[in-house]
Amino acid sequence: MINKNNPVLEIKDLKTYFRTTLGEIKAVDGVSFTVSSGKTLGIIGESGCGKTVTSLSIMQLIKSPPGRIAGGEILLNGKNLIGLPERELQKIRGNTLGMIFQEPMTSLNPVFTIGDQIMETLITHRKMNRSEAKAIVLELLSKVGIPSPQIRINEYPHQMSGGMKQRVMIGMAIACNPKVLIADEPTTALDVTMQAQIINLLYTLQNEMGMSIVLITHDLGVIAETAHDVAVMYASKIVEYASVEDLFQKPLHPYTQGLFESLPALGNRDMKLRAIHGQVPNPLCYPSGCKFWPRCPHAEKKCREKEPRLEKISGRLIYCWKVAEEKSALYGPLFCEKSNKKDKEMNSDSSFHKELLQVKNLSKFFPVKGGFFSRAVGFVKAVDGISFTIKTGQTLGLVGESGCGKTTVGRTILRLMEPTQGEVFFEGLPIFSLKPKLLRKMRQRMQIVFQDPYSSLNPRMRVGEIVGEALSNHGLARGREVRELVENLFTKVGLSPSYFDRYPHEFSGGQRQRIGIARALALNPQFIVCDEVVSALDVSIQAQILNLLEKLQNENNLSYLFIAHNLAIIEYISHAIAVMYLGQIVEQLPAKNLVKNALHPYTKALLSSNPVHNPSQRGRSAPLAGDVPSAINLPSGCRFHPRCPIASKICSQEAPNLKKVEDNHWVRCCLVQ
């Protein structure tokens, strides 16, 4: 059963409610769990299930009004935090309880250096003077893996990468050696290499300092790598509570099972994702009975009428009537359904497909200006001489860390940016030499789905108008016909036609992404750039979007350039994969050969950094060290050699070319023959 030895944090029947003009929101409604000394409790679930509100309740950071803790106990070393005076809570926060907030950029003050922000914690809680605090901060920065701490201590948040800012947040949270560290989505939207570094850092710090950790995430791979026990939350309640080994070996609750089956795993690209239908219910109008029954394939009359209780079954706690009655899982084995992908369709040389898009020696440089007259003093080589081909009805996955040039490739192909050099041909037509009139017509056949669906949708326009705007601008429809076409598009992407008159803020992240896809489909294109379209989505919504893209591809013979940093997703959705590093493609190969035949050290590092969904394989390899070097001052020779674990002298002297090693497989490496 759940390990409850030496409990340092106990949550008993916690209830946190918020008053609104529309009614009371029960964000956390009767949650209980225990965190043992030196152990990690993982809390997983979709957005809106109550994970973050639980963490803020523990920290006593719920603002009143409108929020309030309506009941329960929060026991830290046996002391109830609820009702304590604010002055006493301030001594506990940061001292005994530390927290890593979800978004490091918004959590760090942009007008203070990172050194000043960490020193503030030490001066406030440990009563140090500035010189003492500075010495500790330098030690902390080194401990959390930030290079050149003497320089970095005087830098501002905007001067650091996402991974660096996350390390600063960790350093700030552990500055006073807390007994309990709450980490709220510490790896969300980070590259897999940086994610692996953060996971490894938390694990190392826990062993060194004996901390207990509450880790909040929607990434099951991160949970498998770090947690000892797991609480699965849904609609303000815990629906399954088990040891990490038991949960990953055999999830029992239908919701937990659905989360697992929504997740692509490396090496399982021929298995179909079984997405959880629908979304988390509105907290203002939760369904009667079990809150999960509207999305559950096993729901019965009892589930709709009477709410279950958490019951002990097979060494864990379960919130489900049917599991309690049958004493076992309701589903069969995980990943049991084969997809309809065919090997001949995955082969880029197949005569079944013709070439649609050709990219030849594409480069995009951005000038770096300086001096009194703002003259160019250098260039950021965002894209530096890349070439590839995409065939009709196929997907090329473009993968790499942030800053490698993936998004710039997609936007330059569509001529949303003008290239520095190179050529792009679409069905033989040279995109970069087209006149404005012909280019406008070409845009009907080439579209893009942007990374952030909210910022790419006009908040002042109704979503029906947003999707129909292209139809009107290109003269393809007028008046009532526009509405009919848009409503048909909504149906095609899994949205209700009744949503036409709603605004973007009225939709969830997954729904907004579907609106973006509908907008891209409005002109009936042949080719779509999908730029990180699932990177910030829950695994269940992610699976829905991936299945939708596959369905649309099969129905309309669409071609995709699919940009992402998650190799498991790239492998699942793609027919061929191109791996980018510092503006260059370092390896290109068929997706079905990725796991077994990858040759470049960088590709292998990405594979080893991808979280595995097996707790027994924790710590299987050291994460790739360091950040991507500056694209302004590129390393000599091979651009990857400063981080390469097998680099030799020749790697720093000779810049390798992309060479063919076998059919449909190219590698840029001095050491690969």
Side-chain angles (χ1 to χ4, degrees):
M1 174 58 187
I2 309 300
N3 184 359
K4 292 188 177 181
N5 295 327
N6 304 317
V8 62
L9 180 67
E10 294 179 88
I11 309 301
K12 297 182 178 180
D13 198 30
L14 178 64
K15 298 178 181 179
T16 304
Y17 299 164
F18 293 86
R19 290 191 181 94
T20 71
T21 55
L22 298 176
E24 189 166 60
I25 293 176
K26 296 182 177 181
V28 177
D29 194 18
V31 164
S32 300
F33 57 78
T34 298
V35 185
S36 299
S37 179
K39 301 293 184 181
T40 297
L41 171 75
I43 302 179
I44 61 173
E46 295 169 284
S47 297
C49 70
K51 306 187 301 295
T52 295
V53 175
T54 299
S55 70
L56 294 175
S57 299
I58 295 171
M59 294 293 292
Q60 296 291 283
L61 292 175
I62 299 297
K63 185 178 180 180
S64 177
R68 64 188 177 96
I69 294 180
E73 294 179 294
I74 301 171
L75 303 176
L76 181 63
N77 292 322
K79 184 176 184 177
N80 191 1
L81 302 185
I82 297 176
L84 288 181
E86 181 62 25
R87 180 173 294 181
E88 195 167 345
L89 287 172
Q90 287 178 358
K91 294 178 182 177
I92 293 171
R93 294 191 202 109
N95 219 1
T96 310
L97 271 176
M99 184 164 181
I100 305 168
F101 292 92
Q102 184 168 355
E103 177 47 65
M105 191 63 235
T106 57
S107 301
L108 293 172
N109 193 321
V111 301
F112 291 104
T113 66
I114 60 111
D116 284 336
Q117 294 185 61
I118 302 177
M119 280 191 283
E120 182 184 18
T121 301
L122 295 166
I123 293 169
T124 301
H125 290 288
R126 297 176 65 176
K127 309 303 179 186
M128 293 181 176
N129 58 42
R130 283 190 64 84
S131 61
E132 292 173 329
K134 184 175 181 179
I136 297 294
V137 169
L138 290 171
E139 185 180 326
L140 279 170
L141 293 178
S142 178
K143 181 179 283 189
V144 298
I146 292 180
S148 306
Q150 296 86 354
I151 298 173
R152 295 287 189 177
I153 193 172
N154 296 314
E155 291 186 347
Y156 292 87
H158 73 272
Q159 295 175 280
M160 295 185 154
S161 66
M164 286 288 187
K165 288 194 284 279
Q166 195 63 279
R167 288 169 183 271
V168 170
M169 289 297 301
I170 294 173
M172 192 180 302
I174 66 169
C176 296
N177 299 321
K179 298 296 181 185
V180 179
L181 177 66
I182 299 172
D184 187 6
E185 299 279 9
T187 61
T188 296
L190 293 181
D191 302 319
V192 289
T193 52
M194 193 55 61
Q195 178 176 279
Q197 291 179 25
I198 297 299
I199 290 171
N200 188 62
L201 173 61
L202 289 174
Y203 182 77
T204 301
L205 292 173
Q206 183 176 49
N207 288 337
E208 289 178 359
M209 303 170 64
M211 290 187 305
S212 300
I213 297 177
V214 178
L215 178 66
I216 297 169
T217 183
H218 61 249
D219 192 323
L220 289 166
V222 172
I223 290 292
E225 294 272 6
T226 58
H228 298 91
D229 300 323
V230 187
V232 183
M233 285 193 73
Y234 182 79
S236 79
K237 290 185 176 293
I238 290 176
V239 297
E240 186 161 3
Y241 187 28
S243 69
V244 69
E245 293 83 6
D246 288 346
L247 191 80
F248 277 76
Q249 184 178 0
K250 190 178 182 182
L252 295 185
H253 195 280
Y255 177 62
T256 313
Q257 186 87 34
L259 290 178
F260 275 89
E261 295 197 337
S262 297
L263 194 67
L266 280 171
N268 283 320
R269 71 180 306 273
D270 59 336
M271 299 300 178
K272 188 173 179 63
L273 301 181
R274 298 205 307 193
I276 304 173
H277 297 294
Q279 58 186 330
V280 178
N282 187 328
L284 285 169
C285 49
Y286 281 138
S288 58
C290 172
K291 291 181 172 62
F292 186 60
W293 77 258
R295 305 173 72 189
C296 181
H298 305 283
E300 295 180 347
K301 184 179 179 181
K302 185 177 183 179
C303 306
R304 295 190 289 269
E305 294 177 347
K306 190 175 180 181
E307 185 172 359
R309 300 183 303 273
L310 270 176
E311 295 191 27
K312 186 176 178 180
I313 301 168
S314 302
R316 68 185 84 185
L317 297 175
I318 297 290
Y319 170 90
C320 179
W321 286 118
K322 285 184 68 65
V323 173
E325 291 168 358
E326 299 181 18
K327 308 293 183 186
S328 64
L330 301 175
Y331 291 170
L334 294 175
F335 303 110
C336 58
E337 187 178 349
K338 288 273 187 180
S339 77
N340 60 359
K341 293 177 182 175
K342 298 177 182 178
D343 286 344
K344 71 174 184 177
E345 292 177 342
M346 295 183 217
N347 189 333
S348 60
D349 280 345
S350 171
S351 58
F352 185 80
H353 303 279
K354 65 177 182 179
E355 289 185 353
L356 179 70
L357 183 80
Q358 290 178 297
V359 177
K360 295 183 178 180
N361 197 33
L362 180 65
S363 296
K364 177 61 181 176
F365 300 167
F366 296 95
V368 178
K369 296 182 179 180
F372 185 77
F373 295 103
S374 296
R375 294 172 177 169
V377 294
F379 291 92
V380 174
K381 296 184 177 181
V383 179
D384 192 8
I386 70 168
S387 302
F388 58 78
T389 298
I390 300 178
K391 297 192 172 187
T392 58
Q394 293 200 328
T395 300
L396 174 69
L398 193 59
V399 65
E401 294 170 284
S402 296
C404 72
K406 306 186 299 296
T407 293
T408 304
V409 169
R411 296 189 177 206
T412 307
I413 287 172
L414 298 180
R415 253 184 96 177
L416 300 177
M417 295 177 176
E418 292 298 325
T420 301
Q421 65 180 38
E423 297 176 294
V424 173
F425 296 92
F426 188 85
E427 290 192 322
L429 290 174
I431 299 297
F432 297 150
S433 59
L434 291 179
K435 300 298 182 183
K437 189 173 181 180
L438 288 176
L439 179 62
R440 177 182 171 83
K441 190 159 187 168
M442 180 63 72
R443 293 203 190 283
Q444 296 182 32
R445 301 158 69 186
M446 305 172 70
Q447 287 291 305
I448 185 170
V449 181
F450 293 97
Q451 181 172 355
D452 184 347
Y454 191 73
S455 63
S456 63
L457 300 176
N458 190 329
R460 294 180 176 84
M461 293 177 66
R462 294 177 175 87
V463 295
E465 295 170 340
I466 292 171
V467 175
E469 186 177 27
L471 293 168
S472 301
N473 288 346
H474 285 270
L476 301 178
R478 289 285 185 272
R480 178 65 192 174
E481 189 182 5
V482 172
R483 188 177 186 106
E484 290 175 357
L485 290 171
V486 170
E487 288 178 348
N488 288 335
L489 281 169
F490 280 1
T491 301
K492 182 179 282 190
V493 300
L495 295 171
S496 170
S498 65
Y499 292 166
F500 187 98
D501 293 313
R502 293 189 183 182
Y503 290 90
H505 72 269
E506 298 180 75
F507 295 90
S508 67
Q511 288 175 319
R512 285 196 290 265
Q513 201 61 279
R514 288 172 184 267
I515 293 165
I517 294 171
R519 178 173 58 182
L521 291 173
L523 298 177
N524 195 27
Q526 297 167 270
F527 170 70
I528 299 178
V529 175
C530 301
D531 187 7
E532 297 277 13
V533 293
V534 296
S535 63
L537 300 179
D538 297 322
V539 291
S540 55
I541 306 301
Q542 176 181 284
Q544 292 177 16
I545 298 299
L546 292 176
N547 287 341
L548 172 63
L549 290 172
E550 278 198 321
K551 175 176 174 287
L552 294 171
Q553 184 173 57
N554 293 333
E555 290 176 351
N556 303 315
N557 201 30
L558 288 170
S559 300
Y560 298 133
L561 175 64
F562 193 93
I563 298 169
H565 59 250
N566 186 307
L567 267 181
I569 292 172
I570 283 285
E571 183 203 28
Y572 177 80
I573 196 72
S574 305
H575 298 89
I577 294 174
V579 182
M580 276 194 77
Y581 186 78
L582 273 180
Q584 296 181 330
I585 290 176
V586 296
E587 185 161 15
Q588 188 170 344
L589 74 169
K592 62 181 179 179
N593 298 340
L594 175 67
V595 174
K596 293 183 179 179
N597 295 347
L599 295 176
H600 197 281
Y602 180 60
T603 311
K604 291 181 178 180
L606 292 179
L607 286 167
S608 64
S609 297
N610 210 79
V612 295
H613 307 124
N614 187 343
S616 66
Q617 295 182 20
R618 289 181 182 178
R620 63 204 180 283
S621 59
L624 180 63
D627 289 330
V628 179
S630 168
I632 302 173
N633 300 308
L634 294 168
S636 61
C638 172
R639 295 180 182 182
F640 184 60
H641 88 263
R643 304 171 72 193
C644 182
I646 61 170
S648 64
K649 186 176 180 180
I650 191 175
C651 300
S652 62
Q653 298 173 341
E654 185 177 314
N657 295 316
L658 194 66
K659 56 188 176 185
K660 188 174 183 179
V661 292
E662 57 185 17
D663 286 345
N664 306 315
H665 194 168
W666 293 264
V667 179
R668 188 188 301 272
C669 181
C670 301
L671 304 180
V672 173
Q673 302 301 320

